[in-house]
Amino acid sequence: MTQLTMYHREGCGLCEQMLAELFALQSRYTFALDVVDIDEDPDLRERFNTKVPVLAVDGDILCCHFLDREALLDLLGPA
């Protein structure tokens, strides 16, 4: 199963938008989603501070700020 990790921070509108899009896709595609608040880890906050939301697929960063839906669907394959 494909593992997605979304790095976010509380109160981030772009983060909420990406998360809503991912939840919508979860009804049609099979993937695990881990949502990580960067402000709970100083290293993650330093790494992703101005880039959130960040979506990683199996550990590799796929996109920042906005969901690259086409690239994600290419990785996930047919519904």
Side-chain angles (χ1 to χ4, degrees):
M1 177 180 304
T2 303
Q3 175 66 49
L4 305 185
T5 304
M6 187 185 130
Y7 298 97
H8 80 108
R9 74 168 18 115
E10 291 297 318
C12 168
L14 291 176
C15 299
E16 292 169 9
Q17 179 182 342
M18 184 183 286
L19 193 56
E21 291 178 78
L22 291 170
F23 284 149
L25 289 172
Q26 243 179 347
S27 65
R28 289 176 280 168
Y29 296 88
T30 303
F31 59 86
L33 177 61
D34 188 21
V35 181
V36 178
D37 186 340
I38 66 164
D39 290 324
E40 293 181 5
D41 181 317
D43 292 331
L44 290 177
R45 185 174 50 244
E46 182 177 330
R47 182 176 176 197
F48 297 126
N49 187 43
T50 61
K51 296 178 182 174
V52 292
V54 175
L55 182 64
V57 179
D58 292 329
D60 295 322
I61 293 176
L62 178 71
C63 54
C64 302
H65 305 296
F66 301 98
L67 180 63
D68 186 340
R69 185 182 174 98
E70 185 176 321
L72 178 58
L73 295 182
D74 284 347
L75 290 171
L76 295 175

XYZ file of all heavy atoms in Angstrom:
625
model
N 0.849 -1.179 0.000
C 0.000 0.000 0.000
C 0.898 1.247 0.000
O 1.893 1.310 0.701
C -0.899 0.002 1.237
C -1.754 1.241 1.317
S -2.860 1.359 2.739
C -3.790 -0.122 2.608
N 0.515 2.201 -0.784
C 1.260 3.454 -0.871
C 1.064 4.259 0.413
O -0.045 4.403 0.909
C 0.770 4.276 -2.077
O 0.914 3.490 -3.262
C 1.555 5.560 -2.219
N 2.165 4.771 0.940
C 2.133 5.572 2.166
C 2.306 7.041 1.824
O 3.322 7.435 1.260
C 3.253 5.140 3.116
C 3.378 5.989 4.355
C 2.173 5.878 5.271
O 1.729 4.778 5.586
N 1.633 6.996 5.704
N 1.285 7.845 2.142
C 1.375 9.292 1.975
C 1.592 9.921 3.337
O 0.982 9.511 4.325
C 0.085 9.858 1.379
C -0.425 9.286 0.065
C -1.651 10.074 -0.397
C 0.637 9.286 -0.990
N 2.434 10.923 3.380
C 2.640 11.710 4.588
C 2.430 13.167 4.221
O 3.075 13.682 3.305
C 4.059 11.515 5.159
O 4.283 10.118 5.382
C 4.219 12.279 6.470
N 1.502 13.795 4.923
C 1.257 15.211 4.701
C 1.771 15.977 5.913
O 1.334 15.739 7.037
C -0.228 15.494 4.513
C -0.465 16.942 4.122
S -2.198 17.335 4.041
C -2.204 18.821 5.024
N 2.718 16.860 5.669
C 3.261 17.720 6.714
C 2.459 19.012 6.694
O 2.283 19.621 5.643
C 4.748 17.989 6.469
C 5.578 16.728 6.514
C 5.917 16.064 5.341
C 5.991 16.189 7.721
C 6.663 14.890 5.366
C 6.741 15.010 7.769
C 7.064 14.370 6.585
O 7.798 13.209 6.631
N 1.955 19.411 7.852
C 1.079 20.575 7.925
C 1.326 21.335 9.215
O 2.151 20.950 10.033
C -0.393 20.117 7.869
C -0.886 19.608 9.187
N -1.779 20.308 9.956
C -0.580 18.478 9.874
C -2.020 19.623 11.062
N -1.316 18.515 11.029
N 0.566 22.413 9.381
C 0.548 23.114 10.667
C -0.884 23.561 10.907
O -1.655 23.798 9.975
C 1.533 24.253 10.737
C 1.191 25.482 9.972
C 2.070 26.714 10.287
N 3.311 26.459 10.939
C 4.519 26.668 10.420
N 4.643 27.140 9.199
N 5.600 26.430 11.103
N -1.245 23.636 12.173
C -2.590 24.060 12.567
C -2.858 25.479 12.073
O -1.968 26.332 12.095
C -2.750 24.000 14.090
C -2.750 22.592 14.648
C -3.897 21.744 14.157
O -5.043 22.233 14.084
O -3.641 20.570 13.834
N -4.075 25.715 11.620
C -4.469 27.052 11.190
C -4.025 27.420 9.786
O -4.196 28.557 9.359
N -3.487 26.486 9.040
C -2.998 26.730 7.682
C -4.116 26.400 6.692
O -4.520 25.244 6.567
C -1.765 25.859 7.419
S -1.247 25.769 5.701
N -4.606 27.407 5.987
C -5.675 27.210 5.029
C -5.296 26.297 3.875
O -6.099 25.461 3.443
N -4.076 26.449 3.363
C -3.620 25.570 2.278
C -3.542 24.128 2.754
O -3.852 23.201 2.003
C -2.259 26.024 1.745
C -2.224 27.337 0.979
C -0.779 27.692 0.595
C -3.095 27.269 -0.259
N -3.151 23.943 4.013
C -3.072 22.595 4.582
C -4.461 21.967 4.651
O -4.646 20.800 4.296
C -2.448 22.641 5.978
S -0.758 23.289 6.012
N -5.428 22.737 5.108
C -6.797 22.232 5.207
C -7.336 21.862 3.832
O -8.020 20.847 3.680
C -7.681 23.275 5.882
C -7.346 23.479 7.334
C -8.033 24.682 7.965
O -8.916 25.283 7.322
O -7.674 25.013 9.105
N -7.017 22.674 2.826
C -7.475 22.401 1.459
C -6.871 21.100 0.939
O -7.573 20.257 0.376
C -7.097 23.564 0.548
C -7.508 23.360 -0.897
C -7.076 24.525 -1.785
O -6.774 25.612 -1.307
N -7.027 24.280 -3.068
N -5.548 20.916 1.111
C -4.903 19.703 0.623
C -5.448 18.477 1.352
O -5.699 17.441 0.738
C -3.381 19.773 0.768
C -2.681 18.549 0.171
S -0.876 18.523 0.376
C -0.368 19.764 -0.803
N -5.642 18.593 2.645
C -6.161 17.474 3.419
C -7.557 17.075 2.945
O -7.851 15.887 2.792
C -6.174 17.832 4.909
C -6.382 16.695 5.882
C -5.350 15.588 5.683
C -6.324 17.210 7.306
N -8.398 18.039 2.663
C -9.750 17.751 2.158
C -9.669 17.032 0.811
O -10.426 16.078 0.566
C -10.545 19.037 2.036
N -8.761 17.462 -0.048
C -8.601 16.805 -1.350
C -8.120 15.361 -1.181
O -8.587 14.459 -1.882
C -7.615 17.581 -2.217
C -8.134 18.934 -2.675
C -7.099 19.685 -3.485
O -6.930 19.350 -4.679
O -6.447 20.584 -2.921
N -7.206 15.149 -0.247
C -6.704 13.790 -0.006
C -7.793 12.891 0.560
O -7.922 11.732 0.154
C -5.490 13.832 0.928
C -4.234 14.448 0.324
C -3.171 14.657 1.395
C -3.689 13.588 -0.817
N -8.584 13.402 1.496
C -9.686 12.613 2.053
C -10.673 12.232 0.948
O -11.187 11.116 0.925
C -10.399 13.352 3.171
C -9.647 13.375 4.482
C -9.779 14.450 5.338
C -8.820 12.339 4.864
C -9.109 14.488 6.551
C -8.130 12.351 6.070
C -8.280 13.429 6.919
N -10.942 13.142 0.031
C -11.856 12.850 -1.078
C -11.283 11.744 -1.967
O -12.022 10.865 -2.425
C -12.124 14.112 -1.885
N -9.987 11.766 -2.212
C -9.362 10.741 -3.044
C -9.327 9.381 -2.359
O -9.326 8.350 -3.025
C -7.937 11.162 -3.425
C -7.821 12.298 -4.429
C -6.369 12.736 -4.569
C -8.382 11.872 -5.778
N -9.308 9.377 -1.030
C -9.233 8.117 -0.283
C -10.455 7.238 -0.514
O -10.378 6.034 -0.329
C -9.066 8.384 1.221
C -7.782 7.848 1.740
C -7.575 8.122 3.216
O -8.262 8.903 3.846
N -6.604 7.459 3.765
N -11.568 7.817 -0.937
C -12.752 7.009 -1.188
C -12.631 6.236 -2.517
O -13.371 5.289 -2.736
C -14.012 7.884 -1.205
O -13.959 8.788 -2.294
N -11.682 6.621 -3.380
C -11.525 5.957 -4.678
C -10.189 5.242 -4.856
O -10.056 4.390 -5.718
C -11.691 6.972 -5.804
C -13.128 7.447 -5.949
C -13.237 8.515 -6.991
N -12.812 9.759 -6.338
C -12.542 10.881 -6.963
N -12.620 10.954 -8.249
N -12.189 11.951 -6.283
N -9.198 5.618 -4.070
C -7.863 5.045 -4.204
C -7.423 4.476 -2.862
O -7.817 4.957 -1.811
C -6.859 6.120 -4.659
C -7.157 6.657 -6.032
C -8.025 7.735 -6.206
C -6.585 6.084 -7.162
C -8.311 8.224 -7.467
C -6.865 6.575 -8.435
C -7.732 7.643 -8.573
O -8.012 8.115 -9.820
N -6.561 3.472 -2.941
C -6.064 2.838 -1.728
C -4.700 3.422 -1.367
O -3.746 3.290 -2.138
C -5.935 1.316 -1.926
O -7.204 0.801 -2.303
C -5.455 0.641 -0.656
N -4.644 4.093 -0.236
C -3.376 4.596 0.291
C -3.535 4.867 1.781
O -4.630 5.092 2.274
C -2.905 5.861 -0.443
C -3.851 7.031 -0.404
C -3.836 7.930 0.644
C -4.751 7.237 -1.443
C -4.694 9.026 0.673
C -5.616 8.330 -1.429
C -5.587 9.220 -0.371
N -2.416 4.796 2.480
C -2.383 5.146 3.900
C -1.965 6.607 3.987
O -1.102 7.058 3.220
C -1.394 4.263 4.639
N -2.580 7.339 4.898
C -2.283 8.767 5.050
C -1.891 9.055 6.486
O -2.640 8.789 7.415
C -3.504 9.604 4.657
C -3.370 11.115 4.821
C -2.247 11.664 3.955
C -4.697 11.802 4.486
N -0.710 9.607 6.649
C -0.215 10.046 7.943
C -0.130 11.568 7.895
O 0.489 12.118 6.976
C 1.158 9.422 8.202
C 1.666 9.673 9.605
O 0.860 9.968 10.509
O 2.894 9.573 9.804
N -0.761 12.236 8.846
C -0.765 13.700 8.895
C 0.115 14.129 10.068
O -0.141 13.747 11.206
C -2.200 14.242 9.046
C -2.195 15.750 9.073
C -3.081 13.731 7.914
N 1.155 14.905 9.770
C 2.166 15.265 10.771
C 2.206 16.779 10.935
O 2.402 17.510 9.966
C 3.562 14.749 10.335
C 4.627 15.167 11.339
C 3.541 13.238 10.144
N 2.030 17.237 12.167
C 2.116 18.664 12.488
C 3.584 19.025 12.668
O 4.243 18.545 13.599
C 1.325 18.960 13.761
C 1.242 20.444 14.089
O 2.079 21.227 13.581
O 0.360 20.817 14.864
N 4.105 19.869 11.787
C 5.535 20.208 11.830
C 5.910 20.994 13.079
O 7.068 20.985 13.492
C 5.997 20.973 10.573
C 5.343 22.352 10.484
C 5.777 20.158 9.323
C 6.015 23.298 9.512
N 4.944 21.662 13.692
C 5.254 22.473 14.863
C 5.474 21.633 16.120
O 5.878 22.167 17.151
C 4.154 23.511 15.095
C 4.172 24.583 14.008
O 5.281 24.951 13.557
O 3.091 25.028 13.587
N 5.247 20.331 16.024
C 5.508 19.440 17.153
C 6.924 18.875 17.132
O 7.318 18.163 18.042
C 4.479 18.301 17.167
C 3.076 18.803 17.462
C 2.050 17.697 17.497
O 2.426 16.506 17.383
O 0.859 18.022 17.637
N 7.681 19.186 16.076
C 9.044 18.669 15.935
C 9.936 19.786 15.400
O 9.747 20.234 14.259
C 9.033 17.479 14.967
C 10.400 16.852 14.772
O 11.412 17.583 14.625
O 10.464 15.613 14.736
N 10.908 20.255 16.188
C 11.763 21.368 15.752
C 12.476 21.111 14.425
O 12.641 22.034 13.625
C 12.770 21.526 16.888
C 12.143 20.872 18.069
C 11.240 19.800 17.539
N 12.892 19.879 14.168
C 13.583 19.565 12.919
C 12.643 19.695 11.719
O 13.019 20.238 10.683
C 14.193 18.164 12.961
C 15.339 18.056 13.956
O 16.018 19.072 14.200
O 15.546 16.950 14.494
N 11.413 19.184 11.874
C 10.439 19.303 10.792
C 10.033 20.758 10.582
O 9.862 21.198 9.441
C 9.196 18.459 11.087
C 9.380 16.954 11.036
C 8.092 16.247 11.422
C 9.857 16.501 9.657
N 9.885 21.502 11.671
C 9.523 22.924 11.550
C 10.601 23.669 10.772
O 10.300 24.469 9.882
C 9.312 23.544 12.927
C 8.823 24.985 12.854
C 8.465 25.572 14.199
N 9.497 25.399 15.199
C 9.354 24.674 16.321
N 8.220 24.063 16.583
N 10.346 24.562 17.183
N 11.851 23.395 11.062
C 12.951 24.052 10.349
C 12.983 23.627 8.880
O 13.172 24.448 7.982
C 14.290 23.708 11.008
C 15.470 24.396 10.355
C 16.780 24.100 11.058
O 16.779 23.879 12.282
O 17.807 24.087 10.357
N 12.746 22.356 8.621
C 12.815 21.825 7.257
C 11.663 22.301 6.369
O 11.857 22.619 5.198
C 12.821 20.296 7.318
C 12.936 19.633 5.986
C 13.044 18.134 6.130
N 13.062 17.510 4.819
C 12.830 16.238 4.605
N 12.567 15.439 5.619
N 12.857 15.746 3.397
N 10.436 22.340 6.920
C 9.252 22.603 6.108
C 8.528 23.907 6.424
O 7.447 24.157 5.885
C 8.248 21.457 6.260
C 8.738 20.133 5.766
C 8.715 19.023 6.584
C 9.208 19.985 4.471
C 9.140 17.785 6.135
C 9.648 18.753 4.002
C 9.613 17.648 4.837
N 9.078 24.759 7.237
C 8.402 25.941 7.760
C 7.595 26.723 6.727
O 6.405 26.952 6.909
C 9.404 26.863 8.448
C 8.733 28.016 9.148
O 7.712 27.852 9.805
N 9.300 29.195 9.002
N 8.215 27.144 5.648
C 7.516 27.971 4.653
C 6.985 27.154 3.479
O 6.453 27.723 2.530
C 8.446 29.074 4.102
O 9.566 28.461 3.471
C 8.892 30.010 5.207
N 7.117 25.838 3.543
C 6.707 24.988 2.429
C 5.369 24.295 2.648
O 4.856 23.690 1.717
C 7.780 23.925 2.163
C 9.097 24.504 1.721
C 10.114 23.416 1.525
C 11.445 24.018 1.118
N 12.492 23.017 1.048
N 4.828 24.321 3.861
C 3.610 23.566 4.143
C 2.429 24.082 3.348
O 2.382 25.281 3.049
C 3.264 23.545 5.655
C 4.273 22.752 6.431
C 3.059 24.919 6.216
N 1.535 23.189 2.992
C 1.609 21.751 3.224
C 2.587 21.087 2.262
O 2.794 21.546 1.143
C 0.189 21.268 2.937
C -0.339 22.246 1.941
C 0.288 23.566 2.307
N 3.175 20.007 2.747
C 4.102 19.207 1.955
C 3.546 17.791 1.913
O 3.188 17.237 2.956
C 5.514 19.202 2.586
C 6.443 18.258 1.833
C 6.089 20.608 2.637
N 3.489 17.209 0.732
C 3.028 15.833 0.593
C 4.180 14.964 0.137
O 4.820 15.254 -0.887
C 1.876 15.742 -0.411
C 1.282 14.344 -0.591
C 0.627 13.865 0.712
C 0.282 14.323 -1.729
N 4.444 13.916 0.914
C 5.478 12.949 0.562
C 4.808 11.612 0.267
O 3.836 11.231 0.926
C 6.487 12.798 1.701
N 5.327 10.922 -0.739
C 4.818 9.605 -1.117
C 5.948 8.605 -0.916
O 7.010 8.732 -1.536
C 4.337 9.589 -2.580
C 3.838 8.205 -2.967
C 3.259 10.638 -2.804
N 5.711 7.660 -0.033
C 6.731 6.664 0.308
C 8.069 7.334 0.635
O 9.128 6.876 0.227
C 6.890 5.643 -0.824
C 5.649 4.769 -0.979
O 4.967 4.515 0.033
O 5.367 4.348 -2.109
N 8.003 8.474 1.334
C 9.190 9.167 1.802
C 9.755 10.215 0.863
O 10.613 10.997 1.255
N 9.308 10.250 -0.381
C 9.804 11.226 -1.352
C 8.793 12.364 -1.500
O 7.608 12.123 -1.709
C 10.020 10.578 -2.729
C 11.114 9.524 -2.700
O 12.128 9.721 -1.998
O 10.947 8.496 -3.390
N 9.279 13.605 -1.435
C 8.384 14.760 -1.544
C 7.796 14.827 -2.952
O 8.525 14.799 -3.947
C 9.127 16.061 -1.195
C 9.502 16.049 0.281
C 8.255 17.279 -1.515
C 10.322 17.226 0.734
N 6.470 14.914 -3.003
C 5.758 15.006 -4.269
C 5.386 16.446 -4.597
O 5.533 16.881 -5.742
C 4.492 14.140 -4.230
C 3.634 14.178 -5.484
C 4.347 13.446 -6.625
C 2.273 13.587 -5.229
N 4.917 17.193 -3.592
C 4.488 18.568 -3.862
C 4.449 19.381 -2.571
O 4.391 18.829 -1.473
C 3.119 18.593 -4.550
S 1.816 17.705 -3.679
N 4.480 20.695 -2.758
C 4.388 21.648 -1.656
C 3.314 22.675 -2.005
O 3.109 22.982 -3.180
C 5.706 22.378 -1.442
S 7.113 21.318 -1.098
N 2.673 23.219 -0.988
C 1.669 24.284 -1.102
C 0.337 23.815 -1.686
O -0.696 24.085 -1.119
C 2.184 25.485 -1.887
C 3.452 26.057 -1.345
N 3.537 26.633 -0.106
C 4.686 26.117 -1.879
C 4.783 27.032 0.105
N 5.500 26.734 -0.947
N 0.349 23.160 -2.841
C -0.873 22.698 -3.494
C -0.715 21.250 -3.920
O 0.383 20.832 -4.287
C -1.183 23.554 -4.737
C -1.357 25.005 -4.420
C -0.318 25.896 -4.590
C -2.565 25.484 -3.929
C -0.459 27.241 -4.283
C -2.721 26.828 -3.608
C -1.673 27.706 -3.789
N -1.802 20.494 -3.898
C -1.763 19.096 -4.300
C -1.523 18.991 -5.805
O -2.255 19.583 -6.603
C -3.084 18.405 -3.942
C -3.179 16.929 -4.321
C -2.131 16.115 -3.566
C -4.573 16.392 -4.024
N -0.491 18.240 -6.174
C -0.260 17.927 -7.584
C -1.053 16.652 -7.859
O -0.544 15.542 -7.801
C 1.231 17.734 -7.857
C 1.543 17.539 -9.331
O 0.615 17.178 -10.104
O 2.713 17.719 -9.705
N -2.333 16.845 -8.120
C -3.269 15.732 -8.273
C -2.831 14.782 -9.394
O -2.881 13.563 -9.237
C -4.661 16.295 -8.536
C -5.742 15.265 -8.592
C -7.084 15.930 -8.909
N -8.108 14.943 -9.099
C -8.973 14.569 -8.180
N -8.953 15.119 -6.991
N -9.884 13.658 -8.447
N -2.412 15.331 -10.520
C -2.012 14.496 -11.655
C -0.832 13.600 -11.295
O -0.836 12.400 -11.585
C -1.671 15.376 -12.855
C -1.372 14.588 -14.110
C -1.124 15.487 -15.317
O -1.819 16.507 -15.459
O -0.220 15.136 -16.100
N 0.181 14.162 -10.653
C 1.355 13.374 -10.267
C 0.975 12.309 -9.241
O 1.445 11.173 -9.318
C 2.444 14.287 -9.706
N 0.103 12.663 -8.303
C -0.314 11.694 -7.296
C -1.097 10.551 -7.932
O -0.843 9.379 -7.642
C -1.162 12.375 -6.207
C -1.699 11.444 -5.117
C -0.566 10.715 -4.390
C -2.561 12.227 -4.141
N -2.026 10.861 -8.811
C -2.826 9.814 -9.457
C -1.958 8.920 -10.334
O -2.216 7.716 -10.428
C -3.974 10.431 -10.252
C -5.027 11.162 -9.415
C -6.134 11.695 -10.303
C -5.570 10.298 -8.301
N -0.921 9.483 -10.961
C 0.017 8.671 -11.728
C 0.698 7.643 -10.822
O 0.902 6.493 -11.219
C 1.074 9.526 -12.413
C 0.554 10.245 -13.651
O -0.552 9.901 -14.137
O 1.242 11.172 -14.118
N 1.054 8.055 -9.617
C 1.706 7.151 -8.677
C 0.749 6.112 -8.105
O 1.125 4.963 -7.862
C 2.336 7.933 -7.522
C 3.563 8.763 -7.888
C 3.954 9.658 -6.725
C 4.725 7.850 -8.265
N -0.493 6.513 -7.884
C -1.470 5.607 -7.278
C -2.026 4.594 -8.267
O -2.508 3.538 -7.868
C -2.626 6.398 -6.649
C -2.261 7.281 -5.459
C -3.476 8.080 -5.023
C -1.710 6.453 -4.310
N -1.994 4.915 -9.556
C -2.509 3.990 -10.570
C -4.007 4.074 -10.697
O -4.651 4.959 -10.115
N -4.603 3.135 -11.438
C -6.057 3.183 -11.665
C -6.851 3.022 -10.383
O -6.423 2.328 -9.468
C -6.312 2.019 -12.616
C -5.014 1.382 -12.895
C -3.962 2.040 -12.082
N -8.007 3.659 -10.351
C -8.895 3.581 -9.169
C -9.523 2.208 -9.071
O -9.678 1.499 -9.998
C -9.969 4.641 -9.257
